[in-house]
Amino acid sequence: MKIDDAAARLEALGNSTRLKIYRALVRAGHAGMPVGRLQERLKIPASTLSHHVKALVSVGLISQVREGTTLVCHAEYSTMQGLVDFLVAECCAEETQCKETQSAA
């Protein structure tokens, strides 16, 4: 993952409303959640939800699929995993004590 992509995704999640939306969708699982139910659960106006969902879609953290007349939002788990992997990829890379402990095991 490029650092600019990671920064954009972290910036999107840095807003408390967007983080609440994202967490609700992660909790919903692969089935996702209809926009109406998401709005009810978070108790935010439709225009506000639309604005924040658009920001999360634009950085690839969520997707939307129309199922008949219902718009369903889904967390993009592979994108989330990529972001987490990016954050921990170089954990302890410059810590000599950590490397010594690993080689002693």
Side-chain angles (χ1 to χ4, degrees):
M1 175 178 297
K2 296 179 183 176
I3 197 157
D4 290 341
D5 294 335
R9 290 172 180 147
L10 291 169
E11 182 180 1
L13 292 173
N15 176 282
S16 62
T17 301
R18 286 193 287 269
L19 186 56
K20 288 175 188 175
I21 292 167
Y22 191 69
R23 286 175 50 101
L25 293 174
V26 167
R27 292 180 75 172
H30 292 285
M33 186 180 299
V35 172
R37 189 176 319 144
L38 190 57
Q39 181 187 358
E40 289 171 8
R41 179 161 295 167
L42 299 177
K43 297 176 178 31
I44 57 177
S47 60
T48 301
L49 178 62
S50 177
H51 166 76
H52 290 297
V53 164
K54 182 179 177 183
L56 292 167
V57 168
S58 73
V59 296
L61 286 168
I62 68 172
S63 61
Q64 293 181 301
V65 177
R66 185 158 300 280
E67 296 177 4
T69 59
T70 304
L71 191 58
V72 180
C73 296
H74 300 269
E76 289 294 328
Y77 294 101
S78 61
T79 303
M80 175 180 63
Q81 188 62 57
L83 182 58
V84 170
D85 290 347
F86 174 82
L87 292 172
V88 299
E90 296 185 32
C91 180
C92 304
E94 295 182 16
E95 185 177 332
T96 58
Q97 189 176 24
C98 182
K99 290 179 185 177
E100 291 169 6
T101 303
Q102 289 176 352
S103 63

